[in-house]
Amino acid sequence: MLLISCPNCGSRDETEFHYGGQAHVPYPENPDELTDRQWAEFLFYRDNTKGSFAERWLHSTGCRQWFNMLRDTVTYDIQAIYPMGAPRPAPNTDQPADFGTASLAPDSTTTGTTGPSVASTDLGPAEPAATAPKGATQ
Amino acid sequence: MAKTTAHTVRDNDLSRRTSPAAPLADAFEAGSVAGVVELREEPFLTMVGLRVQHGTEVGDRIAAVTGGLPEASGGVGGNDDCSVLWLGPTEFLVVAPMEAHESLGGTLIQSLRDALGDGEGQVVDLSANRTTFELTGSRSRAVLEKGCSLDLHPRVLKAGTALSTEIGQIPVVLWKTGDESFRIFPRASFADFLGRWLLDAMREYAAPEVP
């Protein structure tokens, strides 16, 4: 269960909210001039981001207001909540993801990302995913 | 002619109307535990939905009728005649006694309409939208805690606070009217379910406490 901080009502359970899909998808300025392909992309094509994702939420059983949320789709960490129409804030890069690649390295005794730069070797072409489980790297 | 008269008489005969949880009235009485937790329906309260912006001219006019509009989530304003519950930044629910309804000669709704005039906003009679449950007693908080995720501890939820939330997965407005008394406003179609849910939640307090 996510605990979502509604800008009007404060922290409430996820069940009081409805998800509204990807944020910042502007309505085309001249819909008549779009090709079918472009129109379909506006209507149906959405990002499937792994990591920070800007999305819309509605507090449907509370104040019934929409707001935007920046959420990590892997860790479910809510990084920012901001009003509709506001630009997307910069993702919080200080906070490393909770799933570590370092802890699985043979020479690592640490967890998380506090260890030596094992993560960078994980991504190197010479050692393809030998030390990281599938889907563990970003 | 006679037919018309009969029709009018029936329309005004309010004893014939049935409140949403009326079929449960006996069960509420049987399920209440005096002094511990008691449940009853308070039928036919006058309710008016307001959509109006704070601080605008029309907002001030409406606020003059209702005795103020609450500023933020949880707020309850009002005067002797009615209470105003905060539902959203521009949305409020006015709750007044049954007698305030225009079918009984009340003037509240009309005076709100007059205050709105042709300004930007909305005044809608919602008296039939929701019914009112009154849950009182020392265990009323324990009953609600079985199905409400809000922090209901008196340290957090003070008397005189009203919040829209869910109880037993039913969307309701929960109004803490006193230290041990709550008003619950479910929509009419959910009244039966929520009434039975509350009765079930209250049942354990009828038995002697197991140490």
Side-chain angles (χ1 to χ4, degrees):
Chain A
M1 177 80 76
L2 289 180
L3 202 59
I4 296 174
S5 212
C6 167
N8 292 309
C9 305
S11 283
R12 298 291 182 92
D13 275 3
E14 178 190 354
T15 51
E16 293 193 7
F17 295 84
H18 274 96
Y19 182 65
Q22 184 181 350
H24 312 298
V25 181
Y27 190 80
E29 274 190 36
N30 297 307
D32 295 342
E33 294 170 10
L34 296 188
T35 64
D36 284 355
R37 170 84 197 174
Q38 287 168 321
W39 181 244
E41 283 184 359
F42 161 69
L43 281 184
F44 305 118
Y45 284 54
R46 293 293 181 265
D47 295 343
N48 187 18
T49 309
K50 186 175 181 184
S52 281
F53 188 52
E55 54 200 14
R56 303 180 301 173
W57 285 82
L58 170 68
H59 192 192
S60 41
T61 48
C63 58
R64 309 207 294 181
Q65 302 296 306
W66 286 92
F67 58 92
N68 286 334
M69 186 196 290
L70 200 60
R71 183 177 64 94
D72 193 303
T73 55
V74 179
T75 62
Y76 287 80
D77 178 38
I78 296 169
Q79 295 164 331
I81 285 173
Y82 55 105
M84 300 301 283
R88 176 184 164 140
N92 187 1
T93 47
D94 299 341
Q95 192 167 358
D98 287 331
F99 59 99
T101 53
S103 60
L104 292 166
D107 59 339
S108 174
T109 56
T110 60
T111 56
T113 54
T114 51
S117 58
V118 185
S120 61
T121 59
D122 283 348
L123 299 170
E127 302 174 61
T131 56
K134 188 168 183 281
T137 54
Q138 254 183 345
Chain B
M1 201 60 180
K3 194 179 171 189
T4 314
T5 314
H7 186 68
T8 315
V9 167
R10 199 180 70 178
D11 279 352
N12 291 332
D13 184 4
L14 296 177
S15 65
R16 296 176 67 114
R17 61 180 177 173
T18 310
S19 64
L24 290 176
D26 293 340
F28 284 174
E29 203 168 323
S32 292
V33 188
V36 179
V37 58
E38 296 173 62
L39 177 65
R40 65 189 189 85
E41 187 189 18
E42 177 75 42
F44 310 126
L45 289 188
T46 302
M47 295 186 213
V48 190
L50 293 181
R51 298 300 296 255
V52 70
Q53 194 92 38
H54 262 292
T56 57
E57 200 180 312
V58 62
D60 293 343
R61 287 205 303 269
I62 297 259
V65 175
T66 59
L69 297 173
E71 292 284 340
S73 174
V76 177
N79 53 24
D80 294 342
D81 300 326
C82 64
S83 303
V84 192
L85 279 53
W86 188 97
L87 295 186
T90 62
E91 187 177 12
F92 309 91
L93 182 69
V94 181
V95 181
M98 179 169 72
E99 293 73 27
H101 196 266
E102 47 198 357
S103 65
L104 292 167
T107 58
L108 174 70
I109 302 176
Q110 192 54 50
S111 55
L112 283 170
R113 281 195 199 111
D114 293 342
L116 179 70
D118 55 1
E120 199 172 81
Q122 218 175 45
V123 172
V124 186
D125 177 9
L126 295 178
S127 303
N129 182 26
R130 297 173 183 271
T131 188
T132 310
F133 288 157
E134 294 213 320
L135 187 69
T136 53
S138 54
R139 290 293 197 172
S140 50
R141 174 162 71 98
V143 168
L144 293 176
E145 277 171 347
K146 295 181 184 185
C148 180
S149 63
L150 290 177
D151 189 350
L152 301 178
H153 193 280
R155 173 178 64 219
V156 176
L157 187 72
K158 308 266 192 266
T161 308
L163 296 165
S164 347
T165 182
E166 290 176 358
I167 295 173
Q169 284 139 39
I170 303 300
V172 298
V173 181
L174 176 67
W175 179 10
K176 186 170 182 182
T177 49
D179 287 338
E180 290 181 348
S181 61
F182 295 88
R183 271 186 172 181
I184 306 164
F185 300 98
R187 293 202 174 84
S189 53
F190 291 121
D192 182 80
F193 176 88
L194 186 65
R196 291 173 196 275
W197 188 93
L198 287 168
L199 280 173
D200 183 47
M202 287 159 59
R203 198 162 52 170
E204 70 167 284
Y205 303 111
E209 195 166 344
V210 179

